[in-house]
PDB file of all heavy atoms in Angstrom:
ATOM      1  N   MET A 395     -40.409 -53.284   2.438  1.00 98.00           N
ATOM      2  CA  MET A 395     -39.840 -52.827   1.183  1.00 98.00           C
ATOM      3  C   MET A 395     -39.680 -51.342   1.339  1.00 98.00           C
ATOM      4  O   MET A 395     -38.688 -50.740   1.039  1.00 98.00           O
ATOM      5  CB  MET A 395     -40.683 -53.232  -0.006  1.00 98.00           C
ATOM      6  CG  MET A 395     -40.184 -52.761  -1.383  1.00 98.00           C
ATOM      7  SD  MET A 395     -40.883 -51.253  -1.711  1.00 98.00           S
ATOM      8  CE  MET A 395     -42.650 -51.737  -1.970  1.00 98.00           C
ATOM      9  N   VAL A 396     -40.725 -50.697   1.751  1.00 98.00           N
ATOM     10  CA  VAL A 396     -40.689 -49.193   1.823  1.00 98.00           C
ATOM     11  C   VAL A 396     -39.663 -48.772   2.927  1.00 98.00           C
ATOM     12  O   VAL A 396     -39.034 -47.759   2.734  1.00 98.00           O
ATOM     13  CB  VAL A 396     -42.115 -48.636   2.237  1.00 98.00           C
ATOM     14  CG1 VAL A 396     -42.094 -47.122   2.282  1.00 98.00           C
ATOM     15  CG2 VAL A 396     -43.137 -49.050   1.025  1.00 98.00           C
ATOM     16  N   GLU A 397     -39.661 -49.469   3.951  1.00 98.00           N
ATOM     17  CA  GLU A 397     -38.704 -49.225   5.007  1.00 98.00           C
ATOM     18  C   GLU A 397     -37.292 -49.166   4.468  1.00 98.00           C
ATOM     19  O   GLU A 397     -36.443 -48.300   4.736  1.00 98.00           O
ATOM     20  CB  GLU A 397     -38.775 -50.387   6.078  1.00 98.00           C
ATOM     21  CG  GLU A 397     -37.926 -50.164   7.277  1.00 98.00           C
ATOM     22  CD  GLU A 397     -38.070 -51.423   8.227  1.00 98.00           C
ATOM     23  OE1 GLU A 397     -39.185 -51.778   8.624  1.00 98.00           O
ATOM     24  OE2 GLU A 397     -36.992 -51.894   8.496  1.00 98.00           O
ATOM     25  N   ARG A 398     -36.868 -50.199   3.557  1.00 98.00           N
ATOM     26  CA  ARG A 398     -35.641 -50.215   2.970  1.00 98.00           C
ATOM     27  C   ARG A 398     -35.383 -48.896   2.162  1.00 98.00           C
ATOM     28  O   ARG A 398     -34.385 -48.355   2.262  1.00 98.00           O
ATOM     29  CB  ARG A 398     -35.488 -51.458   1.978  1.00 98.00           C
ATOM     30  CG  ARG A 398     -34.153 -51.614   1.457  1.00 98.00           C
ATOM     31  CD  ARG A 398     -34.139 -53.099   0.831  1.00 98.00           C
ATOM     32  NE  ARG A 398     -35.045 -53.154  -0.274  1.00 98.00           N
ATOM     33  CZ  ARG A 398     -34.652 -53.305  -1.603  1.00 98.00           C
ATOM     34  NH1 ARG A 398     -33.398 -53.308  -1.915  1.00 98.00           N
ATOM     35  NH2 ARG A 398     -35.593 -53.281  -2.554  1.00 98.00           N
ATOM     36  N   TRP A 399     -36.341 -48.425   1.398  1.00 98.00           N
ATOM     37  CA  TRP A 399     -36.236 -47.221   0.672  1.00 98.00           C
ATOM     38  C   TRP A 399     -35.901 -46.033   1.616  1.00 98.00           C
ATOM     39  O   TRP A 399     -35.088 -45.187   1.310  1.00 98.00           O
ATOM     40  CB  TRP A 399     -37.479 -46.848  -0.098  1.00 98.00           C
ATOM     41  CG  TRP A 399     -37.697 -47.561  -1.450  1.00 98.00           C
ATOM     42  CD1 TRP A 399     -37.825 -48.818  -1.779  1.00 98.00           C
ATOM     43  CD2 TRP A 399     -37.687 -46.893  -2.654  1.00 98.00           C
ATOM     44  NE1 TRP A 399     -37.880 -49.095  -3.014  1.00 98.00           N
ATOM     45  CE2 TRP A 399     -37.835 -47.845  -3.643  1.00 98.00           C
ATOM     46  CE3 TRP A 399     -37.564 -45.573  -3.013  1.00 98.00           C
ATOM     47  CZ2 TRP A 399     -37.887 -47.581  -4.969  1.00 98.00           C
ATOM     48  CZ3 TRP A 399     -37.593 -45.251  -4.419  1.00 98.00           C
ATOM     49  CH2 TRP A 399     -37.858 -46.166  -5.388  1.00 98.00           C
ATOM     50  N   LEU A 400     -36.657 -46.016   2.748  1.00 98.00           N
ATOM     51  CA  LEU A 400     -36.582 -44.850   3.654  1.00 98.00           C
ATOM     52  C   LEU A 400     -35.287 -44.851   4.369  1.00 98.00           C
ATOM     53  O   LEU A 400     -34.637 -43.699   4.500  1.00 98.00           O
ATOM     54  CB  LEU A 400     -37.781 -44.661   4.441  1.00 98.00           C
ATOM     55  CG  LEU A 400     -39.209 -44.584   3.802  1.00 98.00           C
ATOM     56  CD1 LEU A 400     -40.279 -44.751   4.646  1.00 98.00           C
ATOM     57  CD2 LEU A 400     -39.174 -43.031   3.144  1.00 98.00           C
ATOM     58  N   VAL A 401     -34.970 -45.986   4.848  1.00 98.00           N
ATOM     59  CA  VAL A 401     -33.661 -46.074   5.690  1.00 98.00           C
ATOM     60  C   VAL A 401     -32.474 -45.588   4.737  1.00 98.00           C
ATOM     61  O   VAL A 401     -31.597 -44.990   5.219  1.00 98.00           O
ATOM     62  CB  VAL A 401     -33.512 -47.473   6.140  1.00 98.00           C
ATOM     63  CG1 VAL A 401     -32.038 -47.831   6.547  1.00 98.00           C
ATOM     64  CG2 VAL A 401     -34.498 -47.667   7.370  1.00 98.00           C
ATOM     65  N   ARG A 402     -32.616 -45.964   3.484  1.00 98.00           N
ATOM     66  CA  ARG A 402     -31.444 -45.642   2.554  1.00 98.00           C
ATOM     67  C   ARG A 402     -31.669 -44.262   1.868  1.00 98.00           C
ATOM     68  O   ARG A 402     -30.915 -43.865   1.010  1.00 98.00           O
ATOM     69  CB  ARG A 402     -31.351 -46.712   1.500  1.00 98.00           C
ATOM     70  CG  ARG A 402     -30.930 -48.014   2.128  1.00 98.00           C
ATOM     71  CD  ARG A 402     -31.006 -49.123   1.149  1.00 98.00           C
ATOM     72  NE  ARG A 402     -30.857 -50.364   1.850  1.00 98.00           N
ATOM     73  CZ  ARG A 402     -30.510 -51.542   1.464  1.00 98.00           C
ATOM     74  NH1 ARG A 402     -30.062 -51.703   0.202  1.00 98.00           N
ATOM     75  NH2 ARG A 402     -30.398 -52.635   2.119  1.00 98.00           N
ATOM     76  N   ARG A 403     -32.714 -43.629   2.297  1.00 98.00           N
ATOM     77  CA  ARG A 403     -33.137 -42.307   1.789  1.00 98.00           C
ATOM     78  C   ARG A 403     -33.179 -42.221   0.350  1.00 98.00           C
ATOM     79  O   ARG A 403     -32.626 -41.290  -0.317  1.00 98.00           O
ATOM     80  CB  ARG A 403     -32.102 -41.242   2.309  1.00 98.00           C
ATOM     81  CG  ARG A 403     -31.958 -41.088   3.795  1.00 98.00           C
ATOM     82  CD  ARG A 403     -30.868 -40.051   4.163  1.00 98.00           C
ATOM     83  NE  ARG A 403     -30.559 -40.012   5.518  1.00 98.00           N
ATOM     84  CZ  ARG A 403     -31.119 -39.258   6.476  1.00 98.00           C
ATOM     85  NH1 ARG A 403     -31.982 -38.309   6.038  1.00 98.00           N
ATOM     86  NH2 ARG A 403     -30.722 -39.250   7.612  1.00 98.00           N
ATOM     87  N   TRP A 404     -33.825 -43.185  -0.298  1.00 98.00           N
ATOM     88  CA  TRP A 404     -33.927 -43.272  -1.668  1.00 98.00           C
ATOM     89  C   TRP A 404     -35.083 -42.376  -2.236  1.00 98.00           C
ATOM     90  O   TRP A 404     -35.285 -42.119  -3.528  1.00 98.00           O
ATOM     91  CB  TRP A 404     -34.302 -44.711  -2.222  1.00 98.00           C
ATOM     92  CG  TRP A 404     -33.073 -45.667  -2.093  1.00 98.00           C
ATOM     93  CD1 TRP A 404     -31.795 -45.263  -1.989  1.00 98.00           C
ATOM     94  CD2 TRP A 404     -33.174 -47.002  -2.256  1.00 98.00           C
ATOM     95  NE1 TRP A 404     -31.016 -46.366  -1.894  1.00 98.00           N
ATOM     96  CE2 TRP A 404     -31.744 -47.430  -2.120  1.00 98.00           C
ATOM     97  CE3 TRP A 404     -34.129 -47.962  -2.403  1.00 98.00           C
ATOM     98  CZ2 TRP A 404     -31.450 -48.826  -2.234  1.00 98.00           C
ATOM     99  CZ3 TRP A 404     -33.879 -49.336  -2.416  1.00 98.00           C
ATOM    100  CH2 TRP A 404     -32.440 -49.730  -2.370  1.00 98.00           C
ATOM    101  N   CYS A 405     -35.943 -41.727  -1.298  1.00 98.00           N
ATOM    102  CA  CYS A 405     -36.931 -40.818  -1.700  1.00 98.00           C
ATOM    103  C   CYS A 405     -37.100 -39.829  -0.505  1.00 98.00           C
ATOM    104  O   CYS A 405     -36.808 -40.224   0.602  1.00 98.00           O
ATOM    105  CB  CYS A 405     -38.212 -41.497  -2.060  1.00 98.00           C
ATOM    106  SG  CYS A 405     -38.909 -42.556  -0.657  1.00 98.00           S
ATOM    107  N   ARG A 406     -37.761 -38.716  -0.818  1.00 98.00           N
ATOM    108  CA  ARG A 406     -38.017 -37.708   0.199  1.00 98.00           C
ATOM    109  C   ARG A 406     -39.357 -37.993   0.902  1.00 98.00           C
ATOM    110  O   ARG A 406     -39.549 -37.738   2.045  1.00 98.00           O
ATOM    111  CB  ARG A 406     -38.129 -36.415  -0.406  1.00 98.00           C
ATOM    112  CG  ARG A 406     -36.831 -35.800  -0.822  1.00 98.00           C
ATOM    113  CD  ARG A 406     -37.090 -34.408  -1.529  1.00 98.00           C
ATOM    114  NE  ARG A 406     -36.031 -34.327  -2.658  1.00 98.00           N
ATOM    115  CZ  ARG A 406     -34.892 -33.907  -2.475  1.00 98.00           C
ATOM    116  NH1 ARG A 406     -34.386 -33.519  -1.330  1.00 98.00           N
ATOM    117  NH2 ARG A 406     -34.024 -33.790  -3.446  1.00 98.00           N
TER     118      ARG A 406
END
Side-chain angles (χ1 to χ4, degrees):
M395 181 269 292
V396 177
E397 181 184 309
R398 186 167 65 111
W399 274 69
L400 295 168
V401 161
R402 298 176 190 197
R403 298 176 191 266
W404 286 346
C405 60
R406 289 172 215 278

